[in-house]
Amino acid sequence: QVQLVESGGGLVQAGGSLRLSCTASGNIFRINSMGWHRQAPGKQRELVATITRDGNTDYADSVKGRFTISRDNAKNTGFLQMNSLKPEDTAVYYCNARVARSVLDRYSDYWGQGTQVTVSS
């Protein structure tokens, strides 16, 4: 089994910053890509950012220039640095990782339980 646990969410005023962390544990042979999604009340879950194992990144247009995704492969941990936060960033943020559990295993997607980010105006 693979478990992903997010941390770092909270309440912050507009213009502030937060850093989210996601630590994967369990039967992990290799983590391919990692990413962050978010879901606001009444809205669909949307992609925020992704990062490949060797560090290539991609961002949603709404967060470009404000958010930075990174990872520490040795610790099976991903991060999302969020700066210049806006009220519209308010959502539950979910960590995603594409994981192979053995040398013969295919890559499968795993999800954390989410962490709440609330940005007040």
Side-chain angles (χ1 to χ4, degrees), residues 82-93:
M82 304 185 295
N83 298 325
S84 301
L85 283 162
K86 304 175 181 179
E88 50 262 46
D89 295 318
T90 295
V92 177
Y93 283 71

Side-chain angles (χ1 to χ4, degrees), residues 66-87:
R66 300 187 298 120
F67 290 11
T68 302
I69 188 171
S70 61
R71 63 190 291 174
D72 185 335
N73 291 340
K75 298 180 179 179
N76 290 329
T77 300
F79 305 94
L80 185 68
Q81 178 68 47
M82 304 185 295
N83 298 325
S84 301
L85 283 162
K86 304 175 181 179

Side-chain angles (χ1 to χ4, degrees), residues 42-54:
K43 297 183 179 180
Q44 299 295 315
R45 187 175 298 188
E46 64 175 345
L47 175 68
V48 175
T50 60
I51 184 168
T52 66
R53 183 172 177 83
D54 55 4

Side-chain angles (χ1 to χ4, degrees), residues 3-4 7 10 14 28 32 42 44 48-49 59 68-69 92 101-102 109:
Q3 299 85 37
L4 274 62
S7 63
I28 299 173
N32 190 352
Q44 299 295 315
V48 175
Y59 298 91
T68 302
I69 188 171
V92 177
R101 299 196 297 168
S102 74
D109 286 328

